[in-house]
Amino acid sequence: MMSTDMAVDHVNGNGTEESTEPMDTAAVEVTRSEHFQTLLDAGLPQKVAEKLDEVYIAGLVAHSDLDERAIEALKEFNEDGALQVLVQFKESDLSHVQNKSAFLCGVMKTYRQREKQGTKVADATKGPDETRLKALLERTGYTLDVTTGQRKYGGPPPESVHDAGQPPIGTEIFVGKIPRDLFEDELVPLFEKAGPIWDLRLMMDPLSGMNRGYAFVTFCTKDAAQEAVQLCNNHEIRPGKHIGVCISVANNRLFVGSIPKSKTKEQIVEEFSKVTEGLSDIILYHQPDDKKKNRGFCFLEYEDHKTAAQARRRLMSGKVKVWGNVVTVEWADPIEDPDPEVMAKVKVLFVRNLSNGVTEELLEQTFREYGILERVKKLKDYAFIHFEDRDGAVKALEEMNGRDLEGEHIEIVFAKPPDQKRKDRKAQRQQAKTP
C-alpha cells in the first residue's frame, strides 16, 4: 500500500516519475476526510485545507463543529498565517471546549494581536494538571467550558446541588491577586467550603495562555457569598501568595457626557434607543437656574449588566455618534438598595427639582405643617428635610411629592442613609485588585 507521504504527494501533484502508476484510491481516502473537497470549494488554499483536514482526521474537531464564520475568517489570513493558526489550534487542549468554532476564531484573534505586537505565536503554555482537573469534575459532576478568554466551571451546577433558577444579585464575589498559573483544581476546593457554587469564571489571557489574575465566583445563596468573603479574603492560597475577595456588584448604569444641554429626557431616550439595546430608563439633571436645560450629562440605565456593557463598548467605539457628536462614556457607580429595615427608620426626605426661588425658609414653612423639623438644608436645586419622627416624614412625602412649589413640580423620596457597608465593600474591592 502507498505510504501516507506518497499519497499526499499524489494529491498535491508532486509525485516523482517513478510514481506514475495509477493512484491507490483507498490510501487517498484514508489520507483525506470526506470534507476535504468542501474546504477547497470554500476557497481555502490547498495547504491550509490539508492542515485543517489533518485536524479533522485526528478527531480533534468535526467539520460540523466549524461554522461558516470561522472558515471565512481563516480565508482572510495569508497562507503562512493560516497554517500557524491551525498548528496553534491543533496543539490546544480542546477537551473542555464546547464551541470549537468560537475557540478557533479566538485563536485567530490572538494571532492578529501578536502580529500587531511583532511577536510570533507562542508555544502552548503549561495548563492545568489534567489528572487533578478530571478528578475534580468527576467528584463534583460540574461541567467545564473553555474559551480563549475564560474558563467557566458550572453555570448551572448539577441539579443535585441546586435545582432552583439563576441566583439573585449579591451572590457573586470578585477574587483578585490569583497566581497566574493557578486553575480550578485549586480554586474550587477552597470556595466550595463556603457553600454550593453556581459557577466559577476564571479570566484568561489568550496571549500568554495564563489567567489574568482574577476570577468571579457566583454562589447559589447570598449567605454562601458572604461566608466566602469572610473565609477567603487574604487567604494564603500558595506560600506568600494571598488572594483578595469581595462581593461583586453588577453595574447596569452608564454615565454619559457631552449631551446637548437643550435636549429633553424624551429626546435623549429616543436617541440612545436608536444606537443601543436594552435601555430601560435615563436619569437627567436640570440646571438650577434654567429648568429647560440639562447639565450636559445623564445616566443611562439598562436591563442588566450585559446589555450595559454592550452599550458601553458600542458608544466607546468612536463609530457611533449621537446628534452628530461622539459622547464620553464611563461606568457609573453602582446603586445599591439599602437594607429595607434601615430604610423603614429613615426620617429624612430628599427633595429635588427645586426652582431658584425656593429658599430654606420657604421649605421650612412648607414642611413643618407635617411634623417637627430638626433642620433643612438646600443645595443647588435639591434639599434634605430632617424630621424629628418618621410619621411626619411619611405624611409630608405622601402629600407633597409631585406638588408645585414656586413653579416647579418637586420630587420627593426618602434619603438613603450613609452606607458604611458600601464604603467597606469599596475598600475591599480596591484591596482585592491591588497586586
Side-chain angles (χ1 to χ4, degrees), residues 386-416:
H386 295 251
F387 281 84
E388 191 174 274
D389 60 65
R390 167 84 175 182
D391 291 342
V394 171
K395 190 174 181 182
L397 187 149
E398 292 174 349
E399 294 288 333
M400 290 297 298
N401 187 31
R403 291 271 294 275
D404 185 284
L405 189 62
E406 293 293 301
E408 292 291 344
H409 291 287
I410 61 175
E411 299 173 12
I412 307 175
V413 295
F414 280 111
K416 294 181 180 180

Side-chain angles (χ1 to χ4, degrees), residues 418-428:
D419 187 353
Q420 186 58 45
K421 288 184 178 180
R422 186 181 177 191
K423 291 179 181 178
D424 292 343
R425 283 195 294 270
K426 188 174 181 180
Q428 283 181 345

